[in-house]
Amino acid sequence: MRVYISGPITGTEDYQERFAKAQEHLESQGYTVINPALVDMIMPADATYDEYMCVDYCLLDMCDTIYMLEGWEKSPGANRELGFALAKHHTIMRENVK
């Protein structure tokens, strides 16, 4: 099962660490993980927000599950990704933060 990690990136200083931790957790459970925080690092410096989202939609379309990190509710991009996932009938998982 492929899982796409979704959560706040813009304005979140520790997003790389948060996405990496989620990736490690999901992989330990046997999932194949697509971590957009890693992919975004190779985008051109002048890439627009819409270009980032276009790439992210393509990656999300390769998955059957989306994993929502804590704080996704305040992220316009994560909300858009969730809507895309719902339209594609993806399984929705949420980070359980203690």
Side-chain angles (χ1 to χ4, degrees), residues 1 6 12 14 17-19 24-25 27 31 39 41 45 48 52 59 63 66 71 74 82 85 90 93:
M1 183 178 298
S6 180
T12 306
D14 67 340
E17 293 84 6
R18 294 182 66 216
F19 277 69
E24 183 179 313
H25 167 71
E27 287 175 342
Y31 295 104
V39 175
M41 292 189 330
T48 66
Y52 276 97
L59 296 171
C63 299
I66 188 169
K74 298 175 186 168
L82 179 60
H90 286 20
M93 296 171 59

Side-chain angles (χ1 to χ4, degrees), residues 16-96:
Q16 288 286 349
E17 293 84 6
R18 294 182 66 216
F19 277 69
K21 183 178 176 184
Q23 180 175 353
E24 183 179 313
H25 167 71
L26 291 165
E27 287 175 342
S28 75
Q29 303 222 353
Y31 295 104
T32 300
V33 177
I34 294 184
N35 179 347
L38 295 177
V39 175
D40 289 352
M41 292 189 330
I42 62 168
M43 293 287 287
D46 62 348
T48 66
Y49 177 81
D50 287 337
E51 290 170 328
Y52 276 97
M53 291 305 301
C54 182
V55 170
D56 291 344
Y57 289 142
C58 289
L59 296 171
L60 180 52
D61 199 31
M62 296 169 51
C63 299
D64 49 28
T65 302
I66 188 169
Y67 184 79
M68 306 303 296
L69 293 176
E70 180 184 20
W72 69 266
E73 303 91 340
K74 298 175 186 168
S75 167
N79 274 276
R80 290 172 66 182
E81 291 168 345
L82 179 60
F84 183 93
L86 288 168
K88 295 284 188 166
H89 305 288
H90 286 20
T91 300
I92 312 300
M93 296 171 59
R94 288 182 175 79
E95 179 179 38
N96 293 325

